[in-house]
């Protein structure tokens, strides 16, 4: 009976055969899903779904239907992707760090229309210079400690409590992504997401701003910019001839 905004959390990803930690993270997500989805107390308030064999044809169905896109890489660690832009174009709001294309998206739509959390690149550099100690965050946040301990103690893996020992050791040891440092900010942003979602007019307004601000990310603009700034050529609108046609028959659309 506790107040909770119902959610279905979907994650899609693939791991190369030799990428052990990625495979462990995918496995952990599925173990969590098994526990959550079968908990009668949770019921229909929360569902956890792993999207098997995530690919373009599946994304074409997921992206138009999604309400929220999570783009949560640590600031300064990821190259710009395009998935977040596709969610934006389809009216899905974003919760994310100031990393990759999230930065440009926030500039276009305004910070009031995106849920930004976590460290900036400057903040990350300060933490790294000081020396990141995951145990500071683990010991100073009871909720976070409980989450890590549930994984470590086998709550999600009855009979095999050490199954995800390597994941826990990474989070508390040599985690170059500084994951625990962003935890409190992430949870606060998710609380803001829930409150906003329950205000349907505000959510709709933000979705409209997202769609209306997505023009910059069109492939036409991108290729034209590449042409001018990288390839040193000026785009034109001449229609290229068919490979088997005479090149002299090029036409320009009216």
């Amino acid at each position: 009976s506790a107040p909770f905004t119902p959610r279905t959390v979907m994650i899609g990803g693939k791991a190369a055969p030799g990428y052990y930690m990625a495979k462990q993270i995918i496995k952990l997500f599925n173990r969590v899903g098994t526990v959550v989805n079968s908990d009668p107390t949770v019921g229909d308030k929360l569902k956890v779904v792993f999207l098997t064999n995530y690919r373009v044809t599946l994304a074409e169905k997921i992206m138009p239907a999604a309400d929220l896109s999570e783009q949560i890489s640590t600031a300064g660690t990821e190259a710009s992707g395009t998935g977040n832009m596709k969610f934006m174009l389809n009216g899905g709001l974003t919760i994310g760090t100031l990393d990759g294309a999230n930065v440009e998206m926030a500039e276009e739509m305004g910070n009031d229309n995106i849920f930004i959390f976590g460290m900036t690149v400057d903040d990350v550099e300060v933490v790294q210079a000081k020396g990141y100690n995951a145990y500071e965050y683990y010991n100073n946040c009871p909720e976070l400690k409980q989450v890590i301990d549930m994984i470590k103690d086998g709550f999600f893996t009855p009979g095999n409590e050490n199954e995800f020992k390597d994941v826990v050791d990474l989070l508390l040891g040599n985690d170059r992504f500084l994951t625990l440092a962003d935890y409190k900010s992430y949870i606060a942003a998710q609380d803001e997401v829930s409150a906003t979602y329950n205000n349907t007019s505000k959510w709709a307004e933000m979705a409209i701003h997202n769609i209306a601000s997505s023009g910059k990310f069109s492939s036409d603009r991108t290729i034209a910019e590449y042409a001018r700034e990288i390839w040193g050529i000026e785009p034109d609108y001449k229609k290229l001839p068919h490979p088997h046609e005479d090149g002299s028959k090029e036409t320009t659309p009216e």
Side-chain angles (χ1 to χ4, degrees), residues 4-11 29 37 44-51 66-68 70:
F4 185 84
T5 303
R7 294 196 189 201
T8 297
V9 179
M10 297 182 180
I11 291 183
F29 181 81
N37 296 339
D44 291 332
K45 289 189 173 183
L46 179 63
K47 294 298 179 186
V48 177
V49 179
F50 181 74
L51 302 172
D67 292 308
L68 185 70
E70 301 208 22

Coordinates of all heavy atoms in Angstrom, one line a residue, residues 4-11 29 37 44-51 66-68 70:
F4 N 3.9 4.4 -4.6 CA 4.9 4.0 -5.6 C 4.4 4.1 -7.0 O 3.3 3.6 -7.3 CB 5.4 2.5 -5.3 CG 6.5 2.1 -6.1 CD1 7.8 2.4 -5.7 CD2 6.4 1.4 -7.3 CE1 8.9 2.0 -6.4 CE2 7.5 1.0 -8.1 CZ 8.8 1.3 -7.6
T5 N 5.1 4.8 -7.8 CA 4.8 5.0 -9.2 C 5.1 3.7 -9.9 O 6.3 3.3 -10.0 CB 5.5 6.1 -9.8 OG1 5.2 7.3 -9.1 CG2 5.1 6.3 -11.3
P6 N 4.2 2.9 -10.5 CA 4.5 1.7 -11.1 C 5.4 1.8 -12.3 O 5.4 2.8 -13.0 CB 3.1 1.2 -11.6 CG 2.1 1.9 -10.7 CD 2.7 3.2 -10.4
R7 N 6.3 0.9 -12.4 CA 7.3 0.9 -13.5 C 7.6 -0.5 -14.1 O 7.5 -1.5 -13.3 CB 8.6 1.5 -13.0 CG 8.6 2.9 -12.6 CD 10.0 3.4 -12.5 NE 10.1 4.8 -11.9 CZ 11.1 5.6 -12.0 NH1 12.1 5.2 -12.8 NH2 11.1 6.8 -11.4
T8 N 7.9 -0.5 -15.3 CA 8.5 -1.7 -16.0 C 9.9 -1.2 -16.4 O 10.0 -0.3 -17.3 CB 7.7 -2.2 -17.2 OG1 6.4 -2.6 -16.7 CG2 8.4 -3.3 -17.8
V9 N 10.9 -1.9 -15.9 CA 12.3 -1.5 -16.2 C 12.8 -2.5 -17.2 O 12.8 -3.7 -17.0 CB 13.2 -1.5 -14.9 CG1 14.6 -1.1 -15.3 CG2 12.6 -0.5 -13.9
M10 N 13.2 -2.0 -18.4 CA 13.8 -2.8 -19.4 C 15.2 -2.5 -19.6 O 15.6 -1.3 -19.7 CB 13.0 -2.6 -20.7 CG 11.6 -3.0 -20.6 SD 10.7 -2.8 -22.3 CE 9.1 -3.3 -21.9
I11 N 16.1 -3.5 -19.8 CA 17.5 -3.3 -20.1 C 17.8 -4.3 -21.2 O 17.4 -5.5 -21.2 CB 18.4 -3.6 -18.9 CG1 18.2 -2.5 -17.8 CG2 19.8 -3.7 -19.3 CD1 19.1 -2.7 -16.6
F29 N 21.3 -8.9 -13.5 CA 20.0 -8.2 -13.8 C 18.9 -9.2 -13.9 O 17.8 -9.0 -13.4 CB 20.1 -7.4 -15.1 CG 18.9 -6.7 -15.5 CD1 18.6 -5.5 -14.9 CD2 18.0 -7.2 -16.4 CE1 17.4 -4.8 -15.2 CE2 16.8 -6.5 -16.7 CZ 16.5 -5.3 -16.1
N37 N 10.0 -10.1 -10.0 CA 8.8 -10.4 -10.8 C 7.9 -11.5 -10.1 O 6.7 -11.6 -10.4 CB 9.2 -10.9 -12.2 CG 9.8 -9.8 -13.0 OD1 9.7 -8.6 -12.7 ND2 10.6 -10.1 -14.0
D44 N 2.2 -5.8 -9.3 CA 2.4 -5.2 -10.6 C 3.0 -3.8 -10.5 O 3.0 -3.1 -11.5 CB 1.0 -5.1 -11.3 CG 0.5 -6.4 -11.7 OD1 1.3 -7.3 -12.0 OD2 -0.8 -6.6 -11.8
K45 N 3.5 -3.4 -9.3 CA 4.1 -2.1 -9.2 C 5.5 -2.0 -9.8 O 5.9 -0.9 -10.2 CB 4.2 -1.7 -7.7 CG 2.8 -1.5 -7.1 CD 3.0 -0.9 -5.7 CE 1.6 -0.4 -5.1 NZ 1.8 0.2 -3.8
L46 N 6.2 -3.1 -9.9 CA 7.5 -3.1 -10.5 C 7.7 -4.4 -11.3 O 7.6 -5.5 -10.7 CB 8.6 -2.9 -9.4 CG 10.0 -2.9 -9.9 CD1 10.3 -1.7 -10.8 CD2 11.0 -2.8 -8.7
K47 N 8.2 -4.3 -12.5 CA 8.5 -5.5 -13.3 C 9.9 -5.2 -13.9 O 10.2 -4.1 -14.3 CB 7.5 -5.7 -14.4 CG 6.1 -6.2 -13.9 CD 6.2 -7.5 -13.1 CE 4.9 -7.9 -12.6 NZ 5.0 -9.1 -11.7
V48 N 10.7 -6.2 -14.0 CA 12.1 -6.1 -14.5 C 12.2 -7.1 -15.7 O 12.0 -8.3 -15.6 CB 13.1 -6.5 -13.5 CG1 14.5 -6.5 -14.0 CG2 13.0 -5.6 -12.3
V49 N 12.6 -6.5 -16.9 CA 12.6 -7.3 -18.1 C 13.9 -7.1 -18.8 O 14.4 -6.0 -19.1 CB 11.5 -6.8 -19.1 CG1 11.5 -7.6 -20.4 CG2 10.1 -7.0 -18.4
F50 N 14.6 -8.2 -19.2 CA 15.8 -8.2 -20.0 C 15.4 -8.4 -21.4 O 14.7 -9.4 -21.7 CB 16.8 -9.2 -19.5 CG 18.1 -9.2 -20.3 CD1 19.0 -8.1 -20.1 CD2 18.3 -10.1 -21.3 CE1 20.1 -8.1 -20.9 CE2 19.5 -10.1 -22.1 CZ 20.4 -9.0 -21.9
L51 N 15.8 -7.5 -22.3 CA 15.4 -7.6 -23.7 C 16.5 -8.5 -24.4 O 17.6 -8.1 -24.8 CB 15.4 -6.2 -24.4 CG 14.4 -5.3 -23.7 CD1 14.5 -3.9 -24.3 CD2 12.9 -5.8 -23.9
A66 N 8.5 4.0 -25.0 CA 9.2 4.2 -23.8 C 8.8 5.6 -23.2 O 8.8 6.6 -24.0 CB 10.7 4.1 -23.9
D67 N 8.6 5.7 -21.9 CA 8.4 7.0 -21.3 C 9.7 7.6 -20.8 O 9.9 8.8 -20.8 CB 7.5 6.8 -20.0 CG 6.1 6.4 -20.4 OD1 5.5 7.1 -21.3 OD2 5.6 5.4 -19.9
L68 N 10.7 6.7 -20.4 CA 11.9 7.2 -19.8 C 13.1 6.5 -20.4 O 13.1 5.3 -20.5 CB 11.9 7.1 -18.3 CG 13.0 7.6 -17.5 CD1 13.0 9.2 -17.5 CD2 13.0 7.1 -16.1
E70 N 17.2 5.9 -19.8 CA 18.3 6.0 -18.8 C 19.6 6.0 -19.5 O 20.0 5.0 -20.2 CB 18.2 4.9 -17.8 CG 16.9 4.9 -17.1 CD 17.0 4.3 -15.7 OE1 18.1 4.3 -15.1 OE2 16.0 3.8 -15.1

